[in-house]
């Protein structure tokens, strides 16, 4: 499987967002959009009204770190999401009838690729029942909420387990990814590397992106 690179715009300069996107677009495969609500994670970023203005030919991977994502599916889809990734943890209080699997089906029925993500404290066994329903699994390799944190090596085992379970579609990793930690994840079976600060804080963004592609 080819290693794909998905820059997280959370580390970009929002004052010139489309220039920032244009600076990485020619070299990468997807664009990672972090939506945060200040409840599910201790930070607020932006929502559909902002990212709908992102001009790119790249598919948008929208990572929803919000408590009731189902309330906004339609807005996120209209704003141009190619993939909608929701967290397993937000379904535990039973607030959405049909739970995680229903929500993933609703996303797929709208013609958008469904993804599921797990925080560091969530074992992958929790998503075993929905493996057939998702195109993407996003393994958080930091506590979600902020860019620039250190990679948690204990998360690598989750990637191996998912491949052992027979999951053959996309496994992304998100948090603290650079060429070194990215390689560890790719060796374990990940094929999409999300990276924010490693790319946007790099002197040479092209070189940073190419170094992630070389991990295979
Ligand atoms: C963290 C976000 C990440 C973040 C990654 O909650 O989900 O996508 O932007 O940033 P880096 O690559 O700097 O750890
Ligand atoms: Zn993310």
């Amino acid at each position: 499987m080819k290693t794909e690179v998905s820059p997280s715009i959370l580390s970009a300069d929002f004052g010139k967002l489309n220039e920032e996107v244009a600076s990485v677009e020619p070299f990468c495969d997807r664009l990672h959009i972090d939506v945060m609500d200040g409840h599910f994670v201790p930070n607020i970023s932006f929502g559909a009204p902002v990212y709908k203005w992102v001009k790119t030919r790249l598919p948008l991977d929208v990572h929803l770190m919000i408590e009731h994502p189902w309330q906004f599916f339609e807005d996120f889809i209209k704003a141009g999401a190619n993939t909608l990734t929701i967290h397993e943890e937000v379904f535990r209080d039973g607030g959405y009838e049909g739970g995680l699997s229903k929500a993933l089906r609703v996303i797929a029925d709208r013609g958008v690729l469904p993804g599921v993500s797990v925080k560091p404290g969530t074992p992958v066994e929790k998503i075993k029942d929905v493996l057939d329903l998702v195109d993407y699994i996003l393994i958080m390799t930091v506590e979600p909420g902020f860019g620039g944190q250190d990679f948690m090596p204990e998360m690598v085992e989750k990637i191996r387990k998912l491949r052992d379970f027979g999951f053959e579609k996309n496994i992304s990793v998100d948090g603290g990814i650079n060429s070194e930690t990215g390689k560890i994840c790719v060796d374990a079976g990940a094929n999409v590397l999300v990276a924010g600060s490693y790319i946007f804080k790099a002197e040479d963004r092209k070189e940073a992106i190419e170094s992630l592609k070389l991990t295979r």
Side-chain angles (χ1 to χ4, degrees), residues 12-213:
D13 179 341
F14 277 76
K16 46 175 184 172
L17 190 51
N18 278 320
E19 277 171 54
E20 294 281 84
V21 170
S23 77
V24 296
E25 186 183 82
F27 320 114
C28 58
D29 309 281
R30 335 187 49 79
L31 203 62
H32 187 84
I33 308 285
D34 284 309
V35 177
M36 304 179 180
D37 66 353
H39 290 278
F40 180 66
V41 290
N43 194 12
I44 299 175
S45 59
F46 52 81
V50 171
Y51 80 74
K52 75 174 182 193
W53 295 104
V54 170
K55 290 188 178 63
T56 182
R57 57 162 183 86
L58 297 169
L60 300 184
D61 286 337
V62 180
H63 176 195
L64 299 177
M65 287 164 278
I66 65 175
E67 256 172 21
H68 300 124
W70 49 86
Q71 293 176 346
F72 305 98
F73 283 167
E74 210 47 43
D75 293 350
F76 294 130
I77 292 167
K78 281 200 193 119
N82 173 266
T83 302
L84 274 188
T85 295
I86 51 183
H87 269 266
E88 183 277 331
E89 298 86 1
V90 303
F91 291 89
R92 293 187 189 170
D93 64 3
Y96 184 70
E97 206 182 328
L100 175 61
S101 53
K102 171 75 190 308
L104 292 166
R105 284 198 181 93
V106 167
I107 294 169
D109 286 349
R110 289 289 283 105
V112 171
L113 299 176
V116 67
S117 183
V118 285
K119 282 183 173 186
T122 302
V124 283
E125 283 74 9
K126 289 263 185 201
I127 55 170
K128 226 176 160 181
D129 289 350
V130 299
L131 296 185
D132 289 346
L133 301 175
V134 295
D135 288 275
Y136 282 83
I137 296 177
L138 181 66
I139 300 294
M140 288 310 304
T141 42
V142 297
E143 283 300 339
F146 301 92
Q149 304 182 76
D150 286 343
F151 177 77
M152 298 169 73
E154 320 85 85
M155 298 303 124
V156 175
E157 193 50 36
K158 290 186 180 181
I159 305 167
R160 273 191 216 104
K161 264 196 190 169
L162 287 170
R163 293 301 183 207
D164 287 349
F165 291 163
F167 185 74
E168 288 178 347
K169 291 187 175 170
N170 302 288
I171 299 182
S172 341
V173 282
D174 185 8
I177 298 298
N178 54 38
S179 56
E180 214 172 289
T181 56
K183 173 146 184 54
I184 298 171
C185 294
V186 170
D187 286 347
N191 67 300
V192 182
L193 301 178
V194 175
S197 44
Y198 180 66
I199 293 173
F200 283 102
K201 307 274 183 258
E203 255 178 35
D204 185 335
R205 292 175 178 178
K206 176 177 186 230
E207 192 181 275
I209 294 168
E210 296 301 336
S211 78
L212 293 172
K213 288 188 197 159

